[in-house]
Amino acid sequence: DAGMAKLLGEVMKGSLTIAMNAARTEEIRKLVETKGNALRGKELYFNTKLLGCATCHRLEGVGGSVGPDLTRLWDTQTIPKILEALVEPSKEIKEGYQSYKVTTADGRSFAGLKVSDTEKDITLREATGNDVKLLKDDLDAFAPSKTSLMPDDAFAQLTFEEVIDLIAFLKDRSAQELIRGTVTEYSLAFAKDLPTVEAREPKLETTGLTWQTRNADTVGRIDLAPVWPKDNPAAYVQVLVHSPQKQKVKLSLTTRDNARVAVAGKIVFDSKSKSLTQPETLTFEVPPGWTPIVVKLNGRGADRTLTLQVRGEGVTTAVKPVTPKSEASSR
């Protein structure tokens, strides 16, 4: 029942807030360590329809940039501090994440992080991740807020068991490190007409294609459905992988489309007109430096989405060759 579900959420939020004392916190800590399921918590964390965690926070390189980066939270924060941040987000606001409230002369209101402040305008980043630029001449009021952008009822819709699972994920190193290597930026091209003999060629033919740089969503999902042209048989997704040395790397591929994968122009995987019902993990060797990986989708799948993860020692991904920070700092 929707009404009871809402009431339950309010009760859960109220009980967590009121019971923030040493005894209750210790009880929750024990439950997290003995009953918490980090994998279920991971699903909750990245469920952007239910929670705003991944929309606002970055974790292992994946997510938004409205709130503090949560990478290595398992090492830097205790369970009681994480619980406090969940139920009382405005109690302690991290430096650099002070929110501001703005009212314009025509009565509009905005709240967000101040990401730019010039002589003529300011730019606020709202909790949704959207940036809003406002001319200072149009402002009626502009002041810092003592309230966090994270609402204090953000977790009201979760059951107590789900809160335990979520905290378990935020304290689980291995579950979080599984996120590493998720591709968040990629190059995209569409092919209007492909020869039927291409399937017999030793590599994917990508010459002559027009590439555009795009970003995956906050959970690393590449959603091509909104931009896929009508009557277009195939899409190409390309990412450049940088490795500091010759090594074997792993590529995890998740899609419901028919897919072919080429590494440095050589086919390493072909689903052969079958949709992938489970993630496919490919292992291949790369040399030092940059290696292009191209995934071709034929667009016959149910949702035309794709998720890529590339994992290896010191491996990074980009859409254009750049000098990795690790190399730049050693020079």
Side-chain angles (χ1 to χ4, degrees):
D1 180 87
M4 288 300 295
K6 181 179 180 181
L7 178 60
L8 176 62
E10 294 173 353
V11 171
M12 291 307 306
K13 170 61 174 61
S15 65
L16 285 172
T17 303
I18 295 171
M20 282 295 291
N21 54 59
R24 181 59 166 162
T25 299
E26 176 61 17
E27 179 185 351
I28 291 175
R29 185 191 66 79
K30 290 181 179 178
L31 287 172
V32 169
E33 294 178 348
T34 59
K35 303 292 185 181
N37 186 306
L39 294 181
R40 286 201 302 262
K42 177 174 175 285
E43 292 181 4
L44 288 167
Y45 180 92
F46 285 106
N47 185 343
T48 54
K49 293 182 180 180
L50 181 65
L51 300 173
C53 304
T55 302
C56 293
H57 297 278
R58 207 160 188 79
L59 180 63
E60 294 290 353
V62 179
S65 56
V66 178
D69 193 318
L70 302 184
T71 301
R72 293 188 65 85
L73 188 73
W74 52 266
D75 183 44
T76 59
Q77 296 294 338
T78 64
I79 291 176
K81 288 297 292 183
I82 292 175
L83 178 63
E84 179 182 274
L86 293 181
V87 299
E88 299 180 87
S90 298
K91 184 175 181 179
E92 184 177 326
I93 299 176
K94 188 175 182 179
E95 184 178 355
Y97 292 92
Q98 170 79 57
S99 64
Y100 287 80
K101 288 186 176 181
V102 173
T103 303
T104 61
D106 58 3
R108 294 176 297 156
S109 297
F110 301 91
L113 299 181
K114 184 172 65 175
V115 296
S116 175
D117 190 348
T118 70
E119 184 179 344
K120 294 183 178 180
D121 56 56
I122 62 167
T123 301
L124 294 182
R125 180 163 295 155
E126 298 179 303
T128 58
N130 295 325
D131 287 353
V132 179
K133 179 180 283 189
L134 300 166
L135 295 175
K136 288 187 174 180
D137 289 343
D138 295 337
L139 303 186
D140 184 51
F142 173 59
S145 173
K146 295 182 179 180
T147 303
S148 170
L149 283 179
M150 177 176 163
D152 59 7
D153 62 347
F155 302 90
Q157 64 271 46
L158 298 185
T159 66
F160 182 72
E161 290 75 16
E162 287 174 331
V163 172
I164 296 298
D165 289 341
L166 180 63
I167 298 175
F169 167 66
L170 295 175
K171 281 295 292 181
D172 192 290
R173 176 178 180 174
S174 60
Q176 292 177 33
E177 289 183 347
L178 288 174
I179 305 166
R180 288 183 182 177
T182 299
V183 173
T184 57
E185 189 178 38
Y186 61 97
S187 296
L188 174 66
F190 291 100
K192 294 183 179 179
D193 186 30
L194 294 175
T196 57
V197 297
E198 187 207 14
R200 298 192 295 274
E201 294 177 354
K203 63 180 182 179
L204 291 180
E205 183 55 60
T206 60
T207 55
L209 296 178
T210 301
W211 297 93
Q212 54 180 300
T213 299
R214 301 185 66 88
N215 295 315
D217 65 15
T218 54
V219 296
R221 186 183 63 165
I222 298 171
D223 186 1
L224 302 179
V227 296
W228 197 297
K230 292 182 178 179
D231 303 321
N232 199 310
Y236 292 88
V237 171
Q238 177 175 265
V239 61
L240 301 181
V241 175
H242 183 274
S243 175
Q245 72 272 329
K246 180 180 179 180
Q247 65 171 310
K248 288 186 177 180
V249 300
K250 290 185 176 182
L251 171 69
S252 179
L253 170 73
T254 305
T255 182
R256 297 180 68 180
D257 266 294
N258 306 154
R260 297 174 70 202
V261 181
V263 177
K266 181 180 179 180
I267 299 289
V268 297
F269 174 78
D270 191 337
S271 65
K272 299 185 183 300
S273 301
K274 295 181 180 179
S275 299
L276 302 178
T277 57
Q278 297 293 331
E280 185 77 22
T281 300
L282 315 174
T283 301
F284 49 86
E285 190 170 81
V286 295
W290 291 97
T291 300
I293 295 178
V294 177
V295 180
K296 175 194 170 186
L297 302 179
N298 70 8
R300 296 173 185 170
D303 53 9
R304 296 182 178 181
T305 62
L306 174 70
T307 302
L308 298 173
Q309 281 185 311
V310 184
R311 305 190 69 185
E313 186 176 349
V315 165
T316 58
T317 64
V319 294
K320 295 179 180 180
V322 295
T323 301
K325 293 180 180 180
S326 58
E327 290 188 8
S329 61
S330 65
R331 292 179 180 175

